[in-house]
């Protein structure tokens, strides 16, 4: 019995020592992408749209909030994360914009793979904070493509770029700037998609 007790005591001491050298886990603050609702309209477009997750670089396809301080070095805000990867945040923001607007008869995402007449595709080239004259600004650059489902023929393409200055240098202010920038970009993409899609469907 004494030998078993000694072995148990040694194992306990060893486990405590191991725990003491492990680094403490970092407490992260998780931010969702702020959004405001768009004015709603009656349905007027008799076609369905699928919004796909934009293609992006490995740097942007992350939950880290990227920042470009003065110079060319790319960094990220410490201790904070987005609630999802940046391409998914933008895709879902665009879907919300179309659903809030209400002019399309149906809107879905590439995850559901429901039948759709047209697809909104594209490349997310920028989704980061950058410093302009010592002040951070949220920058979003989206290369949009409207594609015919089935044939995958590109019907139209356009670059959308939005920059929104933050009220101060704090992370909540930067996140709020991202929300304003994504709202503006969503409104522009929505109107362009409706105009180009309606024109394509009438041909």
């Amino acid at each position: 019995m004494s030998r078993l007790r000694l072995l148990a005591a040694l194992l306990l001491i060893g486990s405590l020592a191991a725990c003491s050298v492990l680094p403490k886990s970092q407490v992260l603050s998780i931010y969702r992408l702020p959004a405001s609702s768009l004015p709603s309209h009656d349905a007027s477009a008799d076609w369905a749209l699928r919004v796909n997750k934009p293609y992006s670089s490995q740097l942007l396809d992350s939950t880290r909030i990227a920042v470009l301080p003065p110079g060319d070095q790319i960094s990220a805000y410490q201790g904070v994360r987005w609630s999802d990867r940046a391409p998914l945040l933008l895709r879902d923001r665009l879907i919300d914009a179309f659903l809030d607007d209400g002019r399309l008869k149906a809107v879905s995402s590439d995850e559901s793979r429901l039948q759709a007449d047209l697809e909104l595709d594209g490349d997310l080239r920028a989704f980061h904070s950058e410093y302009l004259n010592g002040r951070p600004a949220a920058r979003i650059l989206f290369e949009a493509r409207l594609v015919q489902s089935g044939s995958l023929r590109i019907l139209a393409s356009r670059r959308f770029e939005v920059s929104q200055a933050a009220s101060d240098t704090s992370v909540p202010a930067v996140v709020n700037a991202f929300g304003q920038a994504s709202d503006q970009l969503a409104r522009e993409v929505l109107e362009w998609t409706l105009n180009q899609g309606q024109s394509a469907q009438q041909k």
Side-chain angles (χ1 to χ4, degrees):
M1 289 293 292
S2 59
R3 187 173 296 178
L4 290 175
R5 289 178 180 174
L6 178 60
L7 180 60
L10 290 174
L11 289 173
L12 177 61
I13 293 172
S15 63
L16 291 174
C19 290
S20 64
V21 298
L22 291 175
K24 293 183 179 179
S25 59
Q26 185 182 27
V27 178
L28 296 175
S29 296
I30 309 297
Y31 288 91
R32 64 181 182 85
L33 184 64
S36 59
S37 298
L38 297 178
S40 61
H41 303 80
D42 294 331
S44 59
D46 190 28
W47 46 275
L49 176 71
R50 179 188 301 136
V51 182
N52 298 327
K53 185 189 83 168
Y55 299 96
S56 68
S57 65
Q58 289 184 345
L59 173 68
L60 295 181
D61 196 9
S62 166
T63 59
R64 293 179 178 271
I65 303 179
V67 56
L68 271 65
D72 297 326
Q73 185 176 2
I74 301 174
S75 185
Y77 289 101
Q78 297 299 311
V80 296
R81 294 287 189 275
W82 288 120
S83 58
D84 213 331
R85 291 176 291 157
L88 294 176
L89 291 177
L90 181 61
R91 181 200 66 185
D92 293 347
R93 181 66 196 99
L94 292 172
I95 291 174
D96 287 343
F98 283 106
L99 292 175
D100 288 344
D101 179 80
R103 277 177 280 180
L104 282 177
K105 74 171 185 178
V107 182
S108 63
S109 76
D110 52 332
E111 288 185 354
S112 60
R113 303 302 299 176
L114 298 176
Q115 184 176 357
D117 301 294
L118 302 178
E119 298 181 32
L120 179 59
D121 204 6
D123 301 316
L124 183 58
R125 301 287 188 183
F127 196 91
H128 62 259
S129 168
E130 61 185 16
Y131 276 75
L132 303 174
N133 300 320
R135 186 178 177 187
R139 180 169 177 254
I140 305 176
L141 175 56
F142 178 51
E143 301 273 4
R145 294 183 293 271
L146 190 62
V147 179
Q148 183 80 48
S149 294
S151 69
L152 299 183
R153 182 169 64 93
I154 297 177
L155 304 175
S157 62
R158 180 179 161 184
R159 169 178 287 193
F160 295 89
E161 185 172 8
V162 177
S163 181
Q164 175 64 48
S167 58
D168 57 55
T169 59
S170 68
V171 172
V174 171
V175 169
N176 188 57
F178 269 106
Q180 295 177 52
S182 65
D183 279 345
Q184 181 181 339
L185 185 138
R187 286 191 292 268
E188 294 178 6
V189 172
L190 181 147
E191 293 298 338
W192 173 80
T193 303
L194 288 174
N195 291 334
Q196 296 296 327
Q198 200 67 10
S199 176
Q201 292 299 104
Q202 292 173 354
K203 291 181 180 178

